[in-house]
Amino acid sequence: MKHLTILVPDAQTAPNTLSCIIGTYHIFTEANRYYSHNNKDMVFTIELAGVSEHSDFVNGLLTVIPQKNIAAIRKTDLIVIPAIAPNFTKIEDQNTALVDWISDQYKNGADVASMCTGAYILASTGLLDSKSCSIHWNTVANFKKLFPKVNVRAEKIITDEHGIYTNGGGYSFLNLLLYLVEKYYDRQTAIYCSKIFQIDIDRETQSDFIIFNGQKSHGDEMIIQAQEYIEKNFSEKISMEELSKKLTVGRRSFDRRFIKATGNTPLEYQQRVKIESAKKELEVSRKTINEVMYETGYSDVKAFREIFRRITGLSPIEYRNKYNKTGITAKQHH
């Protein structure tokens, strides 16, 4: 039988830390039970492990008592790292032992899965360097600044690379758990768990949850001016050549500084501002898809749909059907 370790951090915790721990224990216990009920051997022995006798959560309202100290676990097959506080800057002393232990176990053959901001602990091991990683879209800027060697894939719900799994934010850790159940048990068990716990199976993207907010904390005043100009005039045809002249900077230097500050080229930034505006219209208005397209400065339906899907993971019609609560049907808006 394989061994599953659910880590219990001793500091830097948040309410979602507890959700991840309980959710993992609950779903894997149910997967074991289902397997056993179908005359198969249970896959995992499941243990909660940490570095102290108990960890307090939600301002001391709740306490988790780990079953074991990590030092007592010589060999494990799968480690699950729960989410931690999102305002992470560096590993605190109480959690450094977790980082060292995760590194040693991975080198010894264990797979490692991080949930949401648990990626901060995983990235602190160095194991994510040059690998893909998903994390909550709202923490991407901070994560990239702290761990520039990691290939952040904020649009993904799940990444799977060399025995390291990560997932996006909030309660999408449930999708990662189904993914792991399918990998370690089978498809039938994953479908059973998705039905019992009422979790959408095969969800792969968190792009349609990203709220593009024109991030401006980079400190480059010239690029902030450019961002504000693009945001005010996004529905117009903007010449980036003219904009760079307006800001008295060479075009190549303008592009280079823009990418460094925002992570996007000026054109990509303009596209994202346009699509964010389109998303808001599709969420609340009764305008047709074509009306929304024209208002955001697009005239080519195919191009609009392709860019919209690339950024959100959904077509404009799919997005409207999912997020517009006014009872409008897609048939009316082709």
Side-chain angles (χ1 to χ4, degrees):
M1 195 183 297
K2 294 181 184 294
H3 185 274
L4 165 62
T5 303
I6 303 171
L7 289 184
V8 181
D10 201 38
Q12 300 175 288
T13 60
N16 205 29
T17 313
L18 199 55
S19 305
C20 293
I21 291 168
I22 293 168
T24 303
Y25 186 85
H26 198 180
I27 289 175
F28 273 99
T29 299
E30 187 62 27
N32 267 347
R33 193 199 65 76
Y34 179 76
Y35 232 52
S36 180
H37 182 73
N38 286 280
N39 301 311
K40 297 177 183 177
D41 292 335
M42 291 192 299
V43 174
F44 281 108
T45 298
I46 306 165
E47 289 188 311
L48 274 62
V51 292
S52 62
E53 292 183 359
H54 67 85
S55 293
D56 292 328
F57 295 85
V58 197
N59 299 320
L61 289 173
L62 300 163
T63 297
V64 173
I65 302 171
Q67 294 159 283
K68 278 191 176 175
N69 189 293
I70 54 168
I73 300 176
R74 301 293 179 194
K75 176 82 170 77
T76 192
D77 298 285
L78 175 62
I79 301 164
V80 171
I81 307 168
I84 60 170
N87 58 342
F88 180 94
T89 52
K90 64 179 182 178
I91 282 286
E92 290 187 9
D93 291 343
Q94 299 99 307
N95 285 331
T96 52
L98 297 180
V99 169
D100 295 339
W101 183 82
I102 292 164
S103 296
D104 290 343
Q105 290 294 331
Y106 180 74
K107 289 168 189 169
N108 202 26
D111 286 353
V112 185
S114 74
M115 295 172 160
C116 188
T117 45
Y120 283 125
I121 291 178
L122 180 54
S124 297
T125 66
L127 296 175
L128 274 177
D129 288 358
S130 302
K131 294 187 182 72
S132 297
C133 171
S134 182
I135 194 168
H136 195 287
W137 53 263
N138 205 28
T139 61
V140 167
N142 183 45
F143 187 88
K144 281 183 173 180
K145 185 170 69 176
L146 295 172
F147 303 104
K149 294 180 182 177
V150 179
N151 176 22
V152 179
R153 301 292 304 277
E155 79 283 4
K156 292 284 189 182
I157 284 290
I158 295 164
T159 65
D160 173 348
E161 200 170 330
H162 302 296
I164 292 178
Y165 312 92
T166 69
N167 88 278
Y171 282 80
S172 69
F173 71 83
L174 297 168
N175 299 98
L176 174 60
L177 290 174
L178 289 186
Y179 184 86
L180 293 172
V181 166
E182 181 171 354
K183 196 171 186 87
Y184 283 96
Y185 295 77
D186 53 31
R187 177 73 174 177
Q188 185 181 350
T189 307
I191 291 171
Y192 167 78
C193 287
S194 79
K195 289 178 178 178
I196 286 292
F197 296 103
Q198 300 189 9
I199 308 163
D200 287 343
I201 198 163
D202 295 332
R203 187 175 148 221
E204 295 178 353
T205 178
Q206 66 172 353
S207 294
D208 51 325
F209 294 102
I210 292 175
I211 299 171
F212 179 66
N213 58 5
Q215 205 268 86
K216 300 185 180 74
S217 63
H218 46 75
D220 188 329
E221 287 301 321
M222 187 268 285
I223 298 303
I224 288 173
Q225 287 180 50
Q227 287 173 275
E228 289 175 347
Y229 182 86
I230 291 169
E231 288 163 17
K232 285 175 186 171
N233 301 281
F234 69 86
S235 62
E236 308 298 324
K237 190 166 184 178
I238 299 173
S239 163
M240 297 304 166
E241 193 74 44
E242 292 299 319
L243 181 55
S244 61
K245 283 180 183 175
K246 188 189 291 276
L247 296 166
T248 62
V249 64
R251 177 65 196 274
R252 288 180 67 182
S253 177
F254 174 63
D255 284 358
R256 189 168 58 249
R257 282 172 66 175
F258 204 103
I259 293 167
K260 183 181 178 184
T262 69
N264 297 120
T265 66
L267 180 59
E268 287 168 344
Y269 191 88
Q270 183 186 26
Q271 287 175 341
R272 296 198 59 185
V273 173
K274 285 174 180 284
I275 297 306
E276 186 61 23
S277 174
K279 281 165 60 180
K280 287 172 182 170
E281 287 295 330
L282 293 171
E283 286 165 15
V284 300
S285 80
R286 291 181 170 271
K287 293 172 184 171
T288 66
I289 301 294
N290 280 358
E291 283 173 333
V292 171
M293 175 187 75
Y294 289 128
E295 284 182 12
T296 51
Y298 288 103
S299 55
D300 183 329
V301 175
K302 187 181 176 192
F304 175 65
R305 284 178 180 159
E306 284 177 358
I307 293 166
F308 194 99
R309 183 179 287 280
R310 189 178 73 238
I311 290 173
T312 69
L314 298 170
S315 72
I317 290 169
E318 289 168 338
Y319 189 90
R320 159 162 274 159
N321 288 344
K322 189 168 185 179
Y323 291 111
N324 189 303
K325 304 305 178 190
T326 60
I328 303 170
T329 62
K331 191 182 290 185
Q332 294 170 281
H333 291 84
H334 278 288

